[in-house]
Amino acid sequence: NGGEHLDALKRRADMAPPNHQDPENLYTFYRSRGNARYELNRYNECREDIRKAIVYDKQADIGDGALYQRLAELELLAGRYKSALKLSKTAMRITGATTWRRGPYHAFQGRVHCRMGNFLRANLAISNANTAYKRIPAWARTSKILYGGIMDMGTQNDILAAEAEILEAQGEYTPAHELRSMAFNYHFSKRKMKPVSAVYARMELAGNLLCQGRLVLAEKEARIAVMEAVRAAGKQS
């Protein structure tokens, strides 16, 4: 049930820190609460939790590279592109990602380079992401990935978003529309677990329609996105 899952997400996001001082347990708590806050659009609170999780991760010697990638995503949203790149590369190194696991990292880095205006590096990163995607072995394509979904679809979606972004940055809105639609369909299928991610995917689709001059459809998608955002994250969204 979507409502029940959303309520559970909100409870996780509002949990009080535990009284104990065990680093591993504190790492688990702040990681869990931070990720819940991320999905509810509470990015400042999420950033604080993820940074605390990194501190306790180091104390417990866990080596969770996903924490750095989450922080990289927050830096991208804040427009701190150099920091986002550095954190994403750190995440890839800590995770020890083999070639076929590097697709999401390369795709993300492609989006960062695109926003920095470096299309050459963006295209190279996306090419590396596609190479990694093609090398995912059959047994791993249906394996679970962090934050929901499976590796095959998750990696493909990250690449779609990066390819759409670079097309739009160069004014190619029509070919980007198909990619935005595919990315939105993926996020919509995960909306119970990741409600705000689905909202952002819909807004990106609306932005694409706007740039094509398809104003009625753009407004329709944007209005739905606003309603979904308020339902998921409240008025502060």
Side-chain angles (χ1 to χ4, degrees):
N1 183 287
E4 290 179 1
H5 188 89
L6 185 59
D7 289 341
L9 203 59
K10 290 178 179 177
R11 286 195 296 272
R12 252 176 64 204
D14 292 329
M15 287 179 64
N19 293 323
H20 58 71
Q21 297 299 312
D22 177 64
E24 186 170 350
N25 287 335
L26 287 170
Y27 146 79
T28 301
F29 170 79
Y30 283 112
R31 177 180 179 272
S32 176
R33 192 176 74 171
N35 286 328
R37 288 176 167 181
Y38 182 89
E39 294 305 334
L40 293 173
N41 204 44
R42 292 158 61 173
Y43 292 145
N44 288 333
E45 293 176 352
C46 171
R47 182 180 287 105
E48 292 175 6
D49 278 356
I50 295 301
R51 283 177 172 163
K52 289 177 181 177
I54 287 174
V55 170
Y56 292 117
D57 167 86
K58 290 178 179 177
Q59 290 181 13
D61 196 25
I62 294 170
D64 185 355
L67 294 172
Y68 294 85
Q69 186 62 23
R70 177 61 87 205
L71 201 53
E73 293 163 359
L74 293 167
E75 291 294 89
L76 176 64
L77 288 167
R80 292 188 281 268
Y81 302 133
K82 289 183 179 179
S83 175
L85 272 178
K86 183 178 179 180
L87 285 163
S88 183
K89 291 177 180 178
T90 299
M92 191 162 58
R93 176 179 55 79
I94 291 175
T95 305
T98 52
T99 304
W100 56 271
R101 291 184 182 273
R102 292 180 181 175
Y105 299 102
H106 287 309
F108 174 83
Q109 290 161 23
R111 290 173 58 207
V112 180
H113 283 304
C114 179
R115 295 192 189 189
M116 295 173 76
N118 194 328
F119 295 150
L120 184 64
R121 287 194 176 184
N123 279 315
L124 178 59
I126 293 170
S127 176
N128 290 336
N130 275 304
T131 298
Y133 174 66
K134 291 173 184 176
R135 290 179 179 174
I136 299 176
W139 63 265
R141 287 190 176 271
T142 56
S143 61
K144 298 291 183 181
I145 58 174
L146 202 58
Y147 313 127
I150 59 174
M151 176 166 290
D152 192 359
M153 289 176 63
T155 301
Q156 182 188 46
N157 177 70
D158 290 332
I159 295 170
L160 288 172
E163 290 176 337
E165 193 154 324
I166 196 167
L167 283 170
E168 290 171 347
Q170 298 173 94
E172 300 289 339
Y173 298 108
T174 301
H177 178 259
E178 182 179 357
L179 305 182
R180 287 294 187 199
S181 296
M182 293 170 66
F184 168 70
N185 289 338
Y186 171 79
H187 283 294
F188 189 75
S189 71
K190 307 297 176 191
R191 65 191 182 283
K192 291 181 181 178
M193 183 178 295
K194 305 166 66 176
V196 172
S197 296
V199 170
Y200 272 99
R202 191 185 290 275
M203 283 302 298
E204 286 163 351
L205 182 60
N208 177 280
L209 290 165
L210 175 65
C211 291
Q212 288 187 62
R214 300 166 69 181
L215 305 184
V216 174
L217 283 175
E219 181 175 343
K220 177 184 175 182
E221 294 296 342
R223 286 181 178 276
I224 294 172
V226 169
M227 288 189 292
E228 290 296 316
V230 172
R231 187 181 73 85
K235 292 182 179 179
Q236 74 270 21
S237 65

PDB file of all heavy atoms in Angstrom, residues 145-165:
ATOM      1  N   ILE A 145      19.540  -3.606  -6.139  1.00  0.00           N
ATOM      2  CA  ILE A 145      20.477  -2.509  -5.920  1.00  0.00           C
ATOM      3  C   ILE A 145      19.969  -1.648  -4.783  1.00  0.00           C
ATOM      4  O   ILE A 145      18.816  -1.749  -4.370  1.00  0.00           O
ATOM      5  CB  ILE A 145      20.658  -1.644  -7.193  1.00  0.00           C
ATOM      6  CG1 ILE A 145      19.308  -1.079  -7.669  1.00  0.00           C
ATOM      7  CG2 ILE A 145      21.320  -2.431  -8.300  1.00  0.00           C
ATOM      8  CD1 ILE A 145      19.422  -0.109  -8.818  1.00  0.00           C
ATOM      9  N   LEU A 146      20.854  -0.800  -4.303  1.00  0.00           N
ATOM     10  CA  LEU A 146      20.524   0.054  -3.161  1.00  0.00           C
ATOM     11  C   LEU A 146      19.364   0.987  -3.506  1.00  0.00           C
ATOM     12  O   LEU A 146      19.251   1.459  -4.633  1.00  0.00           O
ATOM     13  CB  LEU A 146      21.755   0.879  -2.792  1.00  0.00           C
ATOM     14  CG  LEU A 146      21.838   1.427  -1.376  1.00  0.00           C
ATOM     15  CD1 LEU A 146      21.771   0.310  -0.351  1.00  0.00           C
ATOM     16  CD2 LEU A 146      23.130   2.210  -1.214  1.00  0.00           C
ATOM     17  N   TYR A 147      18.497   1.227  -2.533  1.00  0.00           N
ATOM     18  CA  TYR A 147      17.366   2.149  -2.652  1.00  0.00           C
ATOM     19  C   TYR A 147      16.257   1.631  -3.567  1.00  0.00           C
ATOM     20  O   TYR A 147      15.429   2.382  -4.039  1.00  0.00           O
ATOM     21  CB  TYR A 147      17.812   3.549  -3.132  1.00  0.00           C
ATOM     22  CG  TYR A 147      19.006   4.065  -2.404  1.00  0.00           C
ATOM     23  CD1 TYR A 147      20.126   4.506  -3.080  1.00  0.00           C
ATOM     24  CD2 TYR A 147      19.030   4.094  -1.004  1.00  0.00           C
ATOM     25  CE1 TYR A 147      21.243   4.986  -2.400  1.00  0.00           C
ATOM     26  CE2 TYR A 147      20.133   4.575  -0.316  1.00  0.00           C
ATOM     27  CZ  TYR A 147      21.236   5.014  -1.023  1.00  0.00           C
ATOM     28  OH  TYR A 147      22.335   5.480  -0.352  1.00  0.00           O
ATOM     29  N   GLY A 148      16.248   0.337  -3.862  1.00  0.00           N
ATOM     30  CA  GLY A 148      15.142  -0.239  -4.627  1.00  0.00           C
ATOM     31  C   GLY A 148      15.452  -0.433  -6.099  1.00  0.00           C
ATOM     32  O   GLY A 148      16.233   0.292  -6.696  1.00  0.00           O
ATOM     33  N   GLY A 149      14.826  -1.452  -6.684  1.00  0.00           N
ATOM     34  CA  GLY A 149      15.031  -1.730  -8.097  1.00  0.00           C
ATOM     35  C   GLY A 149      16.049  -2.830  -8.311  1.00  0.00           C
ATOM     36  O   GLY A 149      16.558  -3.442  -7.374  1.00  0.00           O
ATOM     37  N   ILE A 150      16.331  -3.095  -9.575  1.00  0.00           N
ATOM     38  CA  ILE A 150      17.334  -4.092  -9.921  1.00  0.00           C
ATOM     39  C   ILE A 150      18.440  -3.429 -10.728  1.00  0.00           C
ATOM     40  O   ILE A 150      18.252  -2.367 -11.310  1.00  0.00           O
ATOM     41  CB  ILE A 150      16.717  -5.276 -10.709  1.00  0.00           C
ATOM     42  CG1 ILE A 150      16.054  -4.771 -12.001  1.00  0.00           C
ATOM     43  CG2 ILE A 150      15.711  -6.029  -9.852  1.00  0.00           C
ATOM     44  CD1 ILE A 150      15.548  -5.878 -12.888  1.00  0.00           C
ATOM     45  N   MET A 151      19.594  -4.065 -10.794  1.00  0.00           N
ATOM     46  CA  MET A 151      20.774  -3.448 -11.397  1.00  0.00           C
ATOM     47  C   MET A 151      20.548  -3.080 -12.856  1.00  0.00           C
ATOM     48  O   MET A 151      20.905  -1.991 -13.305  1.00  0.00           O
ATOM     49  CB  MET A 151      21.975  -4.376 -11.268  1.00  0.00           C
ATOM     50  CG  MET A 151      23.224  -3.841 -11.952  1.00  0.00           C
ATOM     51  SD  MET A 151      24.702  -4.699 -11.474  1.00  0.00           S
ATOM     52  CE  MET A 151      24.889  -4.151  -9.786  1.00  0.00           C
ATOM     53  N   ASP A 152      19.934  -3.975 -13.618  1.00  0.00           N
ATOM     54  CA  ASP A 152      19.735  -3.730 -15.041  1.00  0.00           C
ATOM     55  C   ASP A 152      18.938  -2.448 -15.262  1.00  0.00           C
ATOM     56  O   ASP A 152      19.377  -1.516 -15.934  1.00  0.00           O
ATOM     57  CB  ASP A 152      19.005  -4.932 -15.661  1.00  0.00           C
ATOM     58  CG  ASP A 152      19.019  -4.882 -17.181  1.00  0.00           C
ATOM     59  OD1 ASP A 152      19.570  -3.923 -17.729  1.00  0.00           O
ATOM     60  OD2 ASP A 152      18.470  -5.804 -17.814  1.00  0.00           O
ATOM     61  N   MET A 153      17.758  -2.373 -14.671  1.00  0.00           N
ATOM     62  CA  MET A 153      16.888  -1.209 -14.860  1.00  0.00           C
ATOM     63  C   MET A 153      17.455   0.042 -14.205  1.00  0.00           C
ATOM     64  O   MET A 153      17.361   1.140 -14.749  1.00  0.00           O
ATOM     65  CB  MET A 153      15.499  -1.503 -14.288  1.00  0.00           C
ATOM     66  CG  MET A 153      14.696  -2.509 -15.084  1.00  0.00           C
ATOM     67  SD  MET A 153      13.116  -2.873 -14.280  1.00  0.00           S
ATOM     68  CE  MET A 153      12.324  -1.270 -14.321  1.00  0.00           C
ATOM     69  N   GLY A 154      18.065  -0.113 -13.031  1.00  0.00           N
ATOM     70  CA  GLY A 154      18.619   1.036 -12.328  1.00  0.00           C
ATOM     71  C   GLY A 154      19.739   1.697 -13.105  1.00  0.00           C
ATOM     72  O   GLY A 154      19.789   2.920 -13.250  1.00  0.00           O
ATOM     73  N   THR A 155      20.652   0.884 -13.616  1.00  0.00           N
ATOM     74  CA  THR A 155      21.771   1.420 -14.400  1.00  0.00           C
ATOM     75  C   THR A 155      21.268   2.053 -15.683  1.00  0.00           C
ATOM     76  O   THR A 155      21.702   3.145 -16.071  1.00  0.00           O
ATOM     77  CB  THR A 155      22.786   0.307 -14.723  1.00  0.00           C
ATOM     78  OG1 THR A 155      23.268  -0.260 -13.514  1.00  0.00           O
ATOM     79  CG2 THR A 155      23.968   0.855 -15.520  1.00  0.00           C
ATOM     80  N   GLN A 156      20.339   1.387 -16.356  1.00  0.00           N
ATOM     81  CA  GLN A 156      19.783   1.930 -17.585  1.00  0.00           C
ATOM     82  C   GLN A 156      19.114   3.280 -17.331  1.00  0.00           C
ATOM     83  O   GLN A 156      19.276   4.211 -18.111  1.00  0.00           O
ATOM     84  CB  GLN A 156      18.767   0.952 -18.184  1.00  0.00           C
ATOM     85  CG  GLN A 156      18.181   1.433 -19.518  1.00  0.00           C
ATOM     86  CD  GLN A 156      17.047   0.565 -20.001  1.00  0.00           C
ATOM     87  OE1 GLN A 156      16.162   0.215 -19.231  1.00  0.00           O
ATOM     88  NE2 GLN A 156      17.067   0.212 -21.273  1.00  0.00           N
ATOM     89  N   ASN A 157      18.395   3.394 -16.232  1.00  0.00           N
ATOM     90  CA  ASN A 157      17.717   4.645 -15.918  1.00  0.00           C
ATOM     91  C   ASN A 157      18.703   5.784 -15.677  1.00  0.00           C
ATOM     92  O   ASN A 157      18.488   6.905 -16.124  1.00  0.00           O
ATOM     93  CB  ASN A 157      16.833   4.466 -14.686  1.00  0.00           C
ATOM     94  CG  ASN A 157      16.160   5.753 -14.278  1.00  0.00           C
ATOM     95  OD1 ASN A 157      15.275   6.233 -14.974  1.00  0.00           O
ATOM     96  ND2 ASN A 157      16.590   6.330 -13.173  1.00  0.00           N
ATOM     97  N   ASP A 158      19.789   5.490 -14.971  1.00  0.00           N
ATOM     98  CA  ASP A 158      20.811   6.515 -14.733  1.00  0.00           C
ATOM     99  C   ASP A 158      21.396   7.011 -16.051  1.00  0.00           C
ATOM    100  O   ASP A 158      21.650   8.208 -16.225  1.00  0.00           O
ATOM    101  CB  ASP A 158      21.932   5.946 -13.851  1.00  0.00           C
ATOM    102  CG  ASP A 158      21.477   5.709 -12.425  1.00  0.00           C
ATOM    103  OD1 ASP A 158      20.558   6.418 -11.981  1.00  0.00           O
ATOM    104  OD2 ASP A 158      22.031   4.807 -11.767  1.00  0.00           O
ATOM    105  N   ILE A 159      21.597   6.097 -16.977  1.00  0.00           N
ATOM    106  CA  ILE A 159      22.143   6.463 -18.290  1.00  0.00           C
ATOM    107  C   ILE A 159      21.134   7.287 -19.080  1.00  0.00           C
ATOM    108  O   ILE A 159      21.488   8.281 -19.714  1.00  0.00           O
ATOM    109  CB  ILE A 159      22.557   5.200 -19.072  1.00  0.00           C
ATOM    110  CG1 ILE A 159      23.724   4.498 -18.360  1.00  0.00           C
ATOM    111  CG2 ILE A 159      22.955   5.548 -20.502  1.00  0.00           C
ATOM    112  CD1 ILE A 159      24.053   3.132 -18.921  1.00  0.00           C
ATOM    113  N   LEU A 160      19.866   6.889 -19.043  1.00  0.00           N
ATOM    114  CA  LEU A 160      18.819   7.632 -19.744  1.00  0.00           C
ATOM    115  C   LEU A 160      18.773   9.081 -19.273  1.00  0.00           C
ATOM    116  O   LEU A 160      18.673  10.017 -20.081  1.00  0.00           O
ATOM    117  CB  LEU A 160      17.457   6.972 -19.502  1.00  0.00           C
ATOM    118  CG  LEU A 160      17.183   5.640 -20.188  1.00  0.00           C
ATOM    119  CD1 LEU A 160      15.871   5.053 -19.680  1.00  0.00           C
ATOM    120  CD2 LEU A 160      17.147   5.796 -21.706  1.00  0.00           C
ATOM    121  N   ALA A 161      18.836   9.275 -17.948  1.00  0.00           N
ATOM    122  CA  ALA A 161      18.788  10.625 -17.387  1.00  0.00           C
ATOM    123  C   ALA A 161      19.976  11.458 -17.856  1.00  0.00           C
ATOM    124  O   ALA A 161      19.828  12.649 -18.185  1.00  0.00           O
ATOM    125  CB  ALA A 161      18.747  10.556 -15.865  1.00  0.00           C
ATOM    126  N   ALA A 162      21.150  10.846 -17.896  1.00  0.00           N
ATOM    127  CA  ALA A 162      22.353  11.566 -18.326  1.00  0.00           C
ATOM    128  C   ALA A 162      22.288  11.904 -19.808  1.00  0.00           C
ATOM    129  O   ALA A 162      22.628  13.023 -20.223  1.00  0.00           O
ATOM    130  CB  ALA A 162      23.592  10.716 -18.030  1.00  0.00           C
ATOM    131  N   GLU A 163      21.841  10.961 -20.624  1.00  0.00           N
ATOM    132  CA  GLU A 163      21.742  11.207 -22.063  1.00  0.00           C
ATOM    133  C   GLU A 163      20.698  12.284 -22.361  1.00  0.00           C
ATOM    134  O   GLU A 163      20.905  13.134 -23.234  1.00  0.00           O
ATOM    135  CB  GLU A 163      21.383   9.909 -22.788  1.00  0.00           C
ATOM    136  CG  GLU A 163      22.519   8.896 -22.798  1.00  0.00           C
ATOM    137  CD  GLU A 163      22.140   7.575 -23.440  1.00  0.00           C
ATOM    138  OE1 GLU A 163      20.932   7.248 -23.486  1.00  0.00           O
ATOM    139  OE2 GLU A 163      23.049   6.861 -23.904  1.00  0.00           O
ATOM    140  N   ALA A 164      19.583  12.254 -21.642  1.00  0.00           N
ATOM    141  CA  ALA A 164      18.545  13.265 -21.838  1.00  0.00           C
ATOM    142  C   ALA A 164      19.063  14.646 -21.464  1.00  0.00           C
ATOM    143  O   ALA A 164      18.794  15.646 -22.154  1.00  0.00           O
ATOM    144  CB  ALA A 164      17.315  12.923 -20.999  1.00  0.00           C
ATOM    145  N   GLU A 165      19.828  14.704 -20.380  1.00  0.00           N
ATOM    146  CA  GLU A 165      20.320  15.999 -19.903  1.00  0.00           C
ATOM    147  C   GLU A 165      21.264  16.643 -20.909  1.00  0.00           C
ATOM    148  O   GLU A 165      21.182  17.843 -21.164  1.00  0.00           O
ATOM    149  CB  GLU A 165      21.013  15.821 -18.548  1.00  0.00           C
ATOM    150  CG  GLU A 165      21.275  17.132 -17.854  1.00  0.00           C
ATOM    151  CD  GLU A 165      21.352  17.002 -16.337  1.00  0.00           C
ATOM    152  OE1 GLU A 165      20.611  16.188 -15.762  1.00  0.00           O
ATOM    153  OE2 GLU A 165      22.143  17.737 -15.738  1.00  0.00           O
TER     154      GLU A 165
END
